[in-house]
Amino acid sequence: VVSLILAACAGATAPAPAASAPADETTATRGQTTTTRLRQYFPETLLWMPEVETDDQGRARISLPVADSITTWRISVLASDAEGNLGSAQTPMRVFQEFFVEPDLPRFLTVGDEIDVPVSLYNYLDEPQTVKISAARADWFELRGDAVQTVTLAANQVAAAYIPIRVLEHGLHDFQVTAKGDAMSDAVLRQVEVLPNGQQAFDVLNGRLEPEQTLDIHVPADAVPGASHLTVKLYPGIISQIVDGLEGLLHQPYGCFEQTSSATYPNVLVLDYLRTTGRNNPAAELAAQYYINAGYQRLLTFEVPGSPGGFSLFGDPPPATMLTAYGLMEMSDMSRVSYVDPAVLERMATFLMERQNADGSWTPQDMTVSGPGDGGTLAATAYIAWALADAGYAQSEPVTHALSYLDANTPIAESDSYVLALVANAYAAAPEAAPASAHLVLNTLAGRAAPLLATGTPQDQPASSAKESVRWDTAYSTWLRSYGDAANLETTALAAHALLRAHYRLDLAEQAIAFIISQRNAFGAYETTQATIISLKTLLLAARMSDQGATQAAPATITITLDNGRSQTVTVDHQNADVVQHVSFNDLSAGDHTLQITVAGDRPIQYQVVTGYYQPWTRRPEPPKEKPMRLDVAYDRTELRVNDMVRVKATLELLRPGVAGTVLVDLGIPPGFSPVAADLDALVEQGLVDRYELTGRQLIFYLTNVPSGQVYTLSYRLLARYPIRAQTPPSVAYDYYTPDTSDDETPERIIVTLGTPTGSRR
């Protein structure tokens, strides 16, 4: 049995010509044809075959169409024979033609940008040729120069031409370049995403479908025309909500241990749920297993050298006790559905046990729950005991000692709801060792539930209707320093989880779940990554305990009508009960709209309505007088030439009192620019940032434990690679675990012209 993977090798997009083509090389022939073949298929992985059977000589022949990339592919093979012997090999497969062109488009542009698209011409012929270059006409851009350019290339010459365009329409668009030579020709199609010129905003409504409902939708009068849309998501069952929550987490950066966990843990929960409930979903299981394996390997890189079993956000010393407990909880759950080295789990448990104080408590180091009284020690002790109990140490002396400490030191009536929720989960995780006070903790926690109306406004009456929801509030900041609404959501999920696990006041748990679902954001996640994880754990626990699975409910037909005109109908039954259903209305005009949803059939279905639009940057509302955070981004100049450097200085300051545990500074990179890696590395070496990441259009800096009042100045250079008159992407800084603590900077226009470098500012 052979596993076969063909992947493109990095940095091999334009190979030099060889004296003779090897047998595994695909080479274009010379000579003109009536129609130039269009190259448009550019996958990163050409083929993945997890199982290939060979003949008795160990040979197999595979035929496949080769992609259009001019590159060297890496063929990786892993094989095993009937005796269990393993073997592996790698070999290159070179794809080459003697003349080809390559447009260098940025991944993103903005409406109104002007760009001279650079087109590289590779003439590896042993003779010169004259080439005529043109771009296929399209509605999304207009040419700012000649429709056809003529370039004469010498033998074995690489040259560049520029196609000047102005961007007119947003959306995902094709850009096709044709180069007709008198010896050989080539044509290439690439895609580029064009964003509307404005600040993106979302309005979100969540709820449970009734037989009939009418929702009011509003698009601001100044919204960018043609860029507004309405999306209705229907969630027939728990799995559909979990999957959408996972997709929401994938919109988040994943640079540190906790963020990597947030992209991995939901897959663990989904896979465990599918297996324990006997639901057969091979596609979901295959995808979950892939992400779990990849996440597990990445998580192992965060173990701190010299501190076996201890983990930190970026793998640097010192190890963090609370984060290690979270990792133990995650990897223990992971071990039920995928391979986890038992030695890793043992090291993590030993690391935690060795740091337990003599009285049974834990001191959580820098990740400290903060609030009135001694709740920090209680919260840390409860959380770590919970993690150890779930990892199989419920009857161990460290856990029983910790529960005794909680029993003796928790002032139940005076404790904050966040602390009580963690204590309740610790007791529920080790019920045989739980003290008699466990019932009193749950009873007190239940009494703290704040009833809410459908609008989310607290009411004075007790929570009695199944249509109502409840919430638990906290005056604390969590161990990852969330506070306010984010901490309230996390506390509510923790309280509901404890009630479910202890089989106590399940009516309140159900109403808490209604509140959790109502807090889903436009991407399907719940406020922060940590709040999302505990919310998903709670939803899945509720699904396990319920005897009424969504797959067994009767079919339902949902009709969604916008403004008594456009209408779409969706049917939900046992075949698609685990699938999120999407209904979209694009090109929504400014003003008020009415959305009507009717349901035929008795089936519990949650919904989310997202109205998305862009507002012009010039018409943004005035910032609040007392901002919680300040971000200033300054370019030392906005007009330069190709190959010049521009220096960018980002200034960050936390204005609200306290400390922000993890701050992300997300800085837009103008199209056609590349950051100088040495500058970014220097910021890490100097300790100004913990880590950085580069995406297609953003530079993300990670800062931890940012105190109020300290000013951070992050300076780096960008290299201008080709001519452009474009808008820089927006920049934003925010507390990752309290997203309301944020500030952003409007984009700037930047101009790069073709010419000799002007003595660039360094």
Side-chain angles (χ1 to χ4, degrees), residues 344-364:
V344 174
L345 296 174
E346 185 177 353
R347 287 201 305 269
M348 298 173 82
T350 300
F351 172 87
L352 294 172
M353 292 176 181
E354 289 177 346
R355 280 153 183 78
Q356 187 175 28
N357 298 322
D359 60 0
S361 68
W362 273 275
T363 304

Side-chain angles (χ1 to χ4, degrees), residues 109-117 138-145 163-169 194 725 749:
L109 290 168
T110 303
V111 171
D113 285 353
E114 297 180 2
I115 175 175
D116 294 359
V117 180
D139 294 337
W140 68 272
F141 71 88
E142 64 180 8
L143 287 169
R144 297 171 27 248
I163 301 176
I165 65 172
R166 179 181 294 108
V167 180
L168 303 177
E169 295 181 3
V194 178
R725 293 172 177 81
R749 302 292 298 182

Side-chain angles (χ1 to χ4, degrees), residues 8-302:
C9 297
T13 56
S20 61
D24 60 355
E25 180 181 275
T26 300
T27 307
T29 58
R30 299 192 189 189
Q32 290 292 347
T33 58
T34 303
T35 302
T36 302
R37 181 178 177 277
L38 178 64
R39 295 190 294 117
Q40 56 183 323
Y41 178 47
F42 302 101
E44 293 184 4
T45 299
L46 177 58
L47 176 70
W48 176 44
M49 298 184 70
E51 189 170 300
V52 180
E53 286 194 20
T54 70
D55 59 21
D56 56 2
Q57 300 298 313
R59 297 176 180 176
R61 180 180 295 273
I62 300 168
S63 299
L64 72 155
V66 177
D68 294 324
S69 308
I70 308 297
T71 189
T72 299
W73 296 90
R74 181 178 62 244
I75 304 176
S76 302
V77 183
L78 176 66
S80 63
D81 63 15
E83 284 72 39
N85 298 309
L86 299 177
S88 63
Q90 287 189 354
T91 188
M93 182 182 76
R94 186 165 172 264
V95 179
F96 178 70
Q97 63 188 43
E98 292 172 297
F99 171 72
F100 60 95
V101 296
E102 189 59 58
D104 186 10
L105 272 169
R107 287 180 56 188
F108 299 92
L109 290 168
T110 303
V111 171
D113 285 353
E114 297 180 2
I115 175 175
D116 294 359
V117 180
V119 180
S120 298
L121 300 94
Y122 299 87
N123 184 40
Y124 290 136
L125 296 167
D126 55 7
E127 60 186 272
Q129 73 164 339
T130 299
V131 180
K132 292 185 177 180
I133 305 166
S134 62
R137 299 279 186 173
D139 294 337
W140 68 272
F141 71 88
E142 64 180 8
L143 287 169
R144 297 171 27 248
D146 296 334
V148 179
Q149 299 182 38
T150 302
V151 178
T152 299
L153 297 168
N156 294 307
Q157 182 185 6
V158 178
Y162 295 89
I163 301 176
I165 65 172
R166 179 181 294 108
V167 180
L168 303 177
E169 295 181 3
H170 65 87
L172 185 63
H173 301 298
D174 293 338
F175 185 75
Q176 180 178 329
V177 175
T178 300
K180 292 189 175 182
D182 46 30
M184 285 190 68
S185 301
D186 190 29
V188 180
L189 185 146
R190 294 286 189 177
Q191 285 192 320
V192 60
E193 184 173 355
V194 178
L195 303 175
N197 187 3
Q199 184 178 31
Q200 189 175 25
F202 296 102
D203 295 331
V204 180
L205 297 172
N206 292 290
R208 178 172 172 168
L209 287 180
E210 302 292 340
E212 294 184 7
Q213 49 258 296
T214 300
L215 304 175
D216 295 327
I217 307 298
H218 177 73
V219 178
D222 62 350
V224 175
S228 301
H229 67 275
L230 180 69
T231 300
V232 181
K233 297 181 183 179
L234 304 176
Y235 304 94
I238 290 294
I239 289 296
S240 62
Q241 298 184 43
I242 299 297
V243 169
D244 200 44
L246 173 59
E247 291 177 353
L249 287 171
L250 295 179
H251 287 82
Q252 302 280 357
Y254 52 91
C256 73
F257 179 92
E258 193 276 340
Q259 292 156 359
T260 300
S261 296
S262 299
T264 306
Y265 210 162
N267 288 288
V268 172
L269 301 174
V270 168
L271 190 53
D272 189 29
Y273 175 78
L274 291 174
R275 291 182 178 177
T276 56
T277 58
R279 295 194 179 187
N280 184 24
N281 193 328
E285 289 202 22
L286 182 63
Q289 193 67 64
Y290 173 81
Y291 285 113
I292 291 169
N293 291 336
Y296 172 62
Q297 296 300 324
R298 181 174 169 86
L299 288 171
L300 294 179
T301 66
F302 295 99

